[in-house]
Amino acid sequence: MKNIFNLPFALAARLWLVTATVFAHFMYLAIWSHEGSLGYTFVILFFIGSMVLSGPAFVFIAWLMKQLNRRPGPYTDQLNRLILAKGLIGLLYAVPFTLFPEPLIKGLYEQPIWLQNLLLAALALFLSALAALLFSYQQVKRFLCSNPSHPSSIKPDLNMEQQSNTTVMETQPTTGSQKIMVKGLITALLILALMIPTVFIANLVEERHQRQKAVAEEVSSKWAGGQSLSGPFISVPYQVRLKDAQGKESFEEREFVLLPETQEVKGKLDPEIRARSIYKVLLYHANINQQGLFNINVPKGVDPTLILWRDARICLGLSDIKGIESRVVVKVNNTPYELTPGLPSGLITKIGVSAPIDLRPEQVGTEVPVSFNLRLKGSEQLHFIPLSGNSNYSLQSAWPSPSFDGNALPSDHKVSDSGFYASWSFNKANLPFSTVINETKLDADEFAFGVTMVQPADQYAKTDRSVKYAILVIGLSFALFFIIELMQKKPVHPVQYVLIGLALVIFYTLLLSISEFLLFDIAYMIAAVATILLVTLYAKSHFGTWRVAGIFFLVLGLLYGFIFVLIRLEDTALLVGSIGLFVVLALVMYASRKVDWYGTNQPAVAS
């Protein structure tokens, strides 16, 4: 009985069904990346939709397979033409995906959305078609070789030997160049296809990074968050006489705020790293000494006789009072006052500590000194708000990686491996408010400045930067295999390219997982050595010589070393990377100068 898969429509239908099934699962994963868990019913719906929309592709593939079956030639050439046709069909069907308003894979925003969707959809369709071909490999091979005119079906005929040799000699250059071209296109498509796993790895890196941030926020919520210190300032309530329409008199209580005329602040940060599970959280202890001088004045429009001097309070704004480590005692006019949580109003800030002070009317026009020492703890960030007429701030720490941020940069700073020092200066001409604020709510956070202690280029940032070079590693590795297989005349199967590409992709998962336990440099060395050895031994098993395997070992070692240098560099990464890529391109062009791209130097082979 004749095998049903010897019929082009039957075999095309098998490829059609398998392709639609695999692509339905790709679409399911794409929707899942946006919406989370979905029912398996969606896979069935995607499958039905794929079957309906891909009807023209099914008819074309059936026709193409019939034409390939009739056309004599090596089976590998026929299969390569079929793969190339499927890739072009996938690209054509991917065009409608450019109309999607969002990226198919959540988190991809570096390129235009239409371009992302086009590439991802084309790669998903092409991989689905490749999976169908692998699933039906034996049936496809039998079908393409079933024509009696196929070289594998022709028996030697001595009478035709001379004519066959002549025919092959005439057609050999064209066949060789087509084979190289088709193989090159398939290799390029495989390089693009392997970019899909790197997308998921990049998302995994971001997920682990967000997990680290969540752990840091959890620890900070129990320790203390980033601190923002404002003050000290004096809140003075007063009364305003009001009359209603009937002439009845009443009083309304308001407040005005006195800011220091001068202020001197000195702070010291002691960093502390706490471990939580496999993550490290950066915390600090701060010791702040502050001295200032108030000039007691009455704002215009306020009746001095209606000021409630006895209810005046000295205040200190602090974003997270949980971080206060010891009693906060402020000396006002050499009299100590212990501050407790709570502020009289939100005219300056809503969170902080305060205490009633002994302020008398006869002190109007005089200067009142104020000083205090504050010990507090926080996480990563410490900001100040310069609420005074003239002020100087200085901050020092043993942490070697500060980020000076906020509304003002330091007027002087020094950063070294042993720590940093920074100072800021302000005067009345710098700030858009006076030392007496009345009935005007001040957005104090707008003037905040300070430092954020960062862990520069941590393992997640470095891993993410290395993933961005994935196309360079995979592309150059595939190009090396492609050139060597042409020079050695020992073809590498597309499945072998996929295995090599997966080994290069798994490098990033190794790097990510190992770097969470070891230093990034050590993790990179372990992952790189493991990947290089794996690819080198695989090249040795295929090409059969240690000389060729040594070339792969040397090239991959230099490539991973070059990328490691780029990751470590910050300011000059673009310059070094551009020069390095130029050198790599020059080496590739030099190595491929003797490649017979058109197959003109191949000897004639008798059928």
Side-chain angles (χ1 to χ4, degrees):
M1 182 177 178
K2 190 175 182 180
N3 191 335
I4 188 175
F5 293 116
N6 287 338
L7 302 175
F9 275 89
L11 185 54
R14 177 189 178 101
L15 297 176
W16 182 40
L17 289 171
V18 177
T19 301
T21 302
V22 177
F23 182 71
H25 285 81
F26 273 120
M27 289 300 299
Y28 176 82
L29 290 175
I31 301 299
W32 176 81
S33 73
H34 285 271
E35 307 296 337
S37 59
L38 294 173
Y40 203 74
T41 308
F42 283 88
V43 177
I44 300 175
L45 295 177
F46 295 144
F47 171 76
I48 296 174
S50 301
M51 293 287 291
V52 172
L53 296 175
S54 60
F58 159 67
V59 176
F60 175 77
I61 291 298
W63 174 84
L64 178 64
M65 294 187 67
K66 188 175 181 179
Q67 300 303 314
L68 292 175
N69 177 257
R70 291 177 176 177
R71 181 177 181 179
Y75 161 70
T76 55
D77 290 351
Q78 307 284 52
L79 182 61
N80 287 338
R81 293 187 181 96
L82 180 60
I83 294 174
L84 181 59
K86 283 182 167 288
L88 295 176
I89 292 173
L91 182 62
L92 181 63
Y93 268 90
V95 172
F97 286 89
T98 60
L99 302 178
F100 280 37
E102 296 182 358
L104 293 177
I105 301 298
K106 188 176 181 181
L108 299 180
Y109 301 102
E110 295 184 1
Q111 300 295 334
I113 292 177
W114 69 268
L115 180 59
Q116 296 178 31
N117 290 344
L118 176 67
L119 293 177
L120 289 174
L123 292 176
L125 287 164
F126 179 66
L127 289 178
S128 302
L130 282 183
L133 283 174
L134 291 175
F135 185 75
S136 308
Y137 179 77
Q138 295 299 331
Q139 289 81 2
V140 172
K141 183 176 182 179
R142 282 199 300 268
F143 175 79
L144 294 179
C145 298
S146 62
N147 192 324
S149 64
H150 193 276
S152 63
S153 304
I154 298 177
K155 296 181 180 180
D157 188 347
L158 297 178
N159 295 329
M160 299 295 294
E161 181 177 354
Q162 183 177 359
Q163 181 181 354
S164 300
N165 287 341
T166 303
T167 303
V168 172
M169 289 176 65
E170 293 176 353
T171 59
Q172 183 67 34
T174 303
T175 303
S177 75
Q178 290 179 350
K179 184 176 181 180
I180 293 174
M181 182 185 69
V182 173
K183 185 65 176 290
L185 291 174
I186 292 175
T187 304
L189 288 173
L190 289 175
I191 293 174
L192 294 178
L194 287 168
M195 290 299 99
I196 291 180
T198 63
V199 170
F200 290 102
I201 291 175
N203 289 339
L204 178 62
V205 173
E206 180 62 22
E207 178 185 336
R208 300 295 291 181
H209 195 190
Q210 293 301 322
R211 171 59 181 163
Q212 183 198 38
K213 289 183 178 180
V215 171
E217 290 176 359
E218 180 185 356
V219 174
S220 298
S221 65
K222 299 177 181 179
W223 174 266
Q227 297 285 11
S228 181
L229 180 63
S230 57
F233 55 92
I234 297 176
S235 172
V236 182
Y238 67 95
Q239 291 181 333
V240 176
R241 185 179 290 107
L242 301 175
K243 290 185 179 181
D244 57 16
Q246 289 76 27
K248 186 177 180 180
E249 190 176 78
S250 61
F251 292 91
E252 179 182 297
E253 187 169 307
R254 300 178 185 177
E255 72 165 336
F256 65 87
V257 174
L258 299 176
L259 303 181
E261 284 291 324
T262 60
Q263 189 168 246
E264 187 80 21
V265 181
K266 294 182 180 179
K268 183 180 180 182
L269 284 176
D270 296 319
E272 179 179 346
I273 295 180
R274 293 283 183 94
R276 177 70 178 270
S277 183
I278 62 174
Y279 303 103
K280 295 180 179 179
V281 182
L282 179 58
L283 309 173
Y284 67 79
H285 297 270
N287 187 12
I288 299 172
N289 288 297
Q290 194 160 335
Q291 294 181 348
L293 194 65
F294 283 94
N295 190 354
I296 309 300
N297 288 312
V298 176
K300 294 180 180 180
V302 175
D303 187 350
T305 62
L306 297 179
I307 297 177
L308 307 177
W309 295 103
R310 64 182 181 279
D311 295 329
R313 299 182 70 90
I314 183 71
C315 306
L316 185 66
L318 192 63
S319 57
D320 192 348
I321 60 176
K322 185 166 63 270
I324 299 175
E325 292 192 292
S326 61
R327 296 170 57 222
V328 183
V329 178
V330 177
K331 289 185 177 181
V332 179
N333 209 11
N334 295 323
T335 303
Y337 300 94
E338 182 175 354
L339 276 59
T340 57
L343 295 176
S345 72
L347 198 61
I348 299 295
T349 184
K350 296 180 180 180
I351 304 175
V353 290
S354 64
I357 59 174
D358 182 18
L359 201 61
R360 297 182 299 274
E362 53 269 22
Q363 291 179 301
V364 174
T366 64
E367 294 182 342
V368 175
V370 60
S371 64
F372 67 89
N373 176 264
L374 178 63
R375 297 185 58 85
L376 75 158
K377 57 186 180 181
S379 303
E380 295 185 349
Q381 187 180 80
L382 177 61
H383 277 178
F384 298 94
I385 300 175
L387 298 180
S388 65
N390 302 281
S391 57
N392 295 303
Y393 293 82
S394 63
L395 197 60
Q396 63 177 0
S397 173
W399 187 254
S401 301
S403 173
F404 303 111
D405 49 17
N407 186 57
L409 294 177
S411 56
D412 181 30
H413 72 281
K414 295 180 181 178
V415 180
S416 64
D417 293 338
S418 59
F420 72 88
Y421 168 83
S423 63
W424 296 260
S425 297
F426 301 91
N427 55 62
K428 292 182 178 181
N430 298 137
L431 302 172
F433 51 81
S434 65
T435 55
V436 180
I437 299 175
N438 183 29
E439 299 183 358
T440 301
K441 193 169 184 179
L442 183 65
D443 186 6
D445 293 335
E446 181 181 348
F447 308 100
F449 69 93
V451 64
T452 299
M453 298 189 300
V454 296
Q455 302 183 52
D458 61 9
Q459 72 269 23
Y460 297 110
K462 290 180 179 178
T463 303
D464 183 64
R465 291 179 63 186
S466 65
V467 172
K468 296 182 187 300
Y469 297 104
I471 189 170
L472 174 65
V473 177
I474 296 174
L476 290 178
S477 300
F478 277 24
L480 182 62
F481 267 95
F482 186 67
I483 292 173
I484 289 182
E485 77 167 89
L486 292 179
M487 298 178 68
Q488 296 288 321
K489 295 182 175 58
K490 200 162 187 179
V492 179
H493 195 274
V495 174
Q496 293 177 290
Y497 275 106
V498 173
L499 293 175
I500 295 166
L502 291 177
L504 298 174
V505 169
I506 290 175
F507 160 79
Y508 300 104
T509 59
L510 284 174
L511 177 61
L512 174 62
S513 57
I514 297 175
S515 65
E516 291 185 329
F517 295 91
L518 301 176
L519 294 175
F520 179 84
D521 294 356
I522 299 176
Y524 189 94
M525 182 184 67
I526 294 173
V529 169
T531 304
I532 293 171
L533 289 178
L534 179 62
V535 176
T536 300
L537 293 176
Y538 193 73
K540 165 62 174 62
S541 67
H542 179 76
F543 294 106
T545 63
W546 282 109
R547 180 174 175 271
V548 174
I551 294 175
F552 280 97
F553 182 85
L554 177 62
V555 171
L556 288 177
L558 292 175
L559 184 59
Y560 279 109
F562 171 64
I563 292 175
F564 179 76
V565 172
L566 291 182
I567 294 172
R568 294 296 300 268
L569 295 176
E570 293 185 3
D571 297 334
T572 58
L574 180 60
L575 176 62
V576 175
S578 301
I579 296 174
L581 289 177
F582 181 82
V583 173
V584 169
L585 178 60
L587 292 175
V588 172
M589 294 173 67
Y590 179 81
S592 61
R593 70 193 188 282
K594 294 183 179 181
V595 174
D596 183 18
W597 299 105
Y598 286 99
T600 55
N601 298 328
Q602 293 184 7
V605 180
S607 301

